[in-house]
Amino acid sequence: MRDDASRVDRGRYPKAVTPWEDPDWRDAALGWARDELAAHGLRVTGPGRVRLRPWSVLVRLPVAGRGSVWFKANPPGSAFEAGLTAALARWAPGHVLAPLAADAARAWLLLPDGGELFRDVLDRAPADPRAWEQPLAQYAALQRTLLPHVPDLARLGVPGAPTVRLPDLFDRLVAENPVLPPDDRARLRALRPRLAGWCADLADLGIADTLDHADLHDGQLFAPQPGRFTFFDWGDAALSHPFCSFLVPALAARDRYGPDVLPRLRDAYLEPWTGGGLAAAELRRAMRPAWRLGTLGRVRAWGRLFPAPADEPGDAAPPGAAESAAWLCALHSDDSEPPV
């Protein structure tokens, strides 16, 4: 497959450094995909459609009798996704998009068509403020299922962001961001004691850290059949407090339906966490610090992009620095007051 401009989508990142530019890598990757498809009795029927981003190489391959499959390659910062995706398919079948093949050593995945995106379902159907309730409850149940596997997840390379260590992560993220305005940097440093208190409150709740998707918006899950959802795209994931996952889907639902939807969605997410001796009121209170601390997951994810292009000046801000700074600033913004 040639790197034909008509087939390659580079989006807003025309200078993103990816391995796609290396013809040897390209031949090896596409050859692996063809071989793995052949092992499933499938064959590619035409040229692929390529999407290049700092965080992935994605190739949509037409397959005889099956529509399309997707080859995905991750950069070093999210190289764990291939092994994680394969492991999740074993530990929680039916809840995640199971790969056709995974090469953890090379960070390569071959993924089937997962059906209709949840976002497309929402766009097509009449507005239903309750639409997020079932996927959030299913996702929380998945997080609980994974609690015994946290040591295995760490061995797979999923980054750790333990609740009790989030203040240290916050310090590093603030110190290392090159584009934070001085006033915002000062406000964030002044916020640090409160942030440490939020972490202590969550840790005292007694719910252990588990897998946090960290970017669970409505384009990150499929709805293959009514009432059943499959989650995918784990490249931003971390091992942290599970409740931090609520921020991103809550923001997506709030943008679509307004803030009044959030208490119902909060309760739908929390329902699988009941029954462990914690009162509903305690769980609801814990969502307030978790809402704020979920922001750190987004900051950290943006910081795991590919490095800046080699032809940029040495002091150029790396990709993702501005996005990370915006999420950091949300921590001290009045607009970030948790509405749940």
Side-chain angles (χ1 to χ4, degrees):
M1 183 187 302
R2 295 182 300 117
D3 187 3
D4 189 326
S6 66
R7 299 193 191 123
V8 177
D9 168 16
R10 299 177 185 270
R12 297 186 294 114
Y13 304 92
K15 296 184 178 180
V17 179
T18 77
W20 184 256
E21 285 71 32
D22 179 347
D24 292 335
W25 183 94
R26 207 161 58 229
D27 290 344
L30 295 175
W32 174 82
R34 285 192 293 268
D35 290 345
E36 293 296 336
L37 286 170
H40 287 274
L42 302 171
R43 65 179 177 83
V44 177
T45 58
R49 291 168 55 186
V50 184
R51 195 192 76 164
L52 303 182
R53 298 292 186 268
W55 51 86
S56 69
V57 171
L58 193 66
V59 184
R60 182 175 182 175
L61 298 167
V63 172
R66 188 152 181 156
S68 297
V69 300
W70 281 259
F71 165 82
K72 183 176 184 180
N74 287 73
S78 59
F80 61 86
E81 186 180 1
L84 171 60
T85 300
L88 293 178
R90 295 193 302 271
W91 297 332
H95 293 274
V96 298
L97 184 63
L100 295 169
D103 186 327
R106 292 188 286 189
W108 291 352
L109 276 168
L110 193 62
L111 297 163
D113 188 332
E116 192 167 28
L117 278 176
F118 185 51
R119 174 180 295 162
D120 296 335
V121 173
L122 296 178
D123 287 344
R124 188 187 69 252
D128 180 5
R130 301 182 60 177
W132 265 103
E133 291 181 19
Q134 283 185 306
L136 282 172
Q138 184 183 323
Y139 173 70
L142 170 63
Q143 289 182 297
R144 291 202 65 175
T145 297
L146 295 174
L147 282 168
H149 297 287
V150 167
D152 302 306
L153 291 166
R155 283 190 287 272
L156 287 170
V158 180
T163 305
V164 295
R165 299 297 303 274
L166 287 178
D168 298 332
L169 173 63
F170 170 79
D171 292 340
R172 180 172 62 79
L173 293 171
V174 172
E176 293 179 355
N177 190 285
V179 300
L180 267 176
D183 288 350
D184 287 311
R185 197 181 301 274
R187 291 190 189 99
L188 287 166
R189 286 173 173 159
L191 183 68
R192 209 268 190 186
R194 290 181 63 199
L195 183 137
W198 301 333
C199 295
D201 290 344
L202 269 188
D204 289 346
L205 187 66
I207 292 177
D209 292 339
T210 184
L211 190 64
D212 170 15
H213 186 287
D215 194 26
L216 190 62
H217 57 72
D218 51 17
Q220 303 283 45
L221 61 155
F222 293 107
Q225 61 187 51
R228 175 55 60 186
F229 306 91
T230 51
F231 306 99
F232 71 101
D233 203 353
W234 298 93
D236 290 346
L239 298 175
S240 194
H241 198 281
F243 292 5
C244 292
S245 289
F246 182 71
L247 173 66
V248 171
L251 291 176
R254 186 184 68 179
D255 289 346
R256 187 180 285 267
Y257 303 114
D260 291 345
V261 72
L262 295 181
R264 291 184 63 96
L265 299 188
R266 173 203 60 199
D267 290 348
Y269 172 78
L270 290 176
E271 195 281 331
W273 297 100
T274 61
L278 293 169
E282 291 179 279
L283 294 170
R284 288 169 179 160
R285 281 196 298 270
M287 292 297 283
R288 296 184 67 81
W291 176 281
R292 289 187 178 275
L293 294 171
T295 299
L296 296 180
R298 298 306 307 135
V299 179
R300 196 171 194 264
W302 276 107
R304 296 206 305 249
L305 298 179
F306 278 8
D311 59 353
E312 291 292 325
D315 59 352
E323 290 86 351
S324 292
W327 279 103
L328 279 169
C329 290
L331 277 166
H332 68 71
S333 169
D334 291 340
D335 294 337
S336 69
E337 181 61 27
V340 295

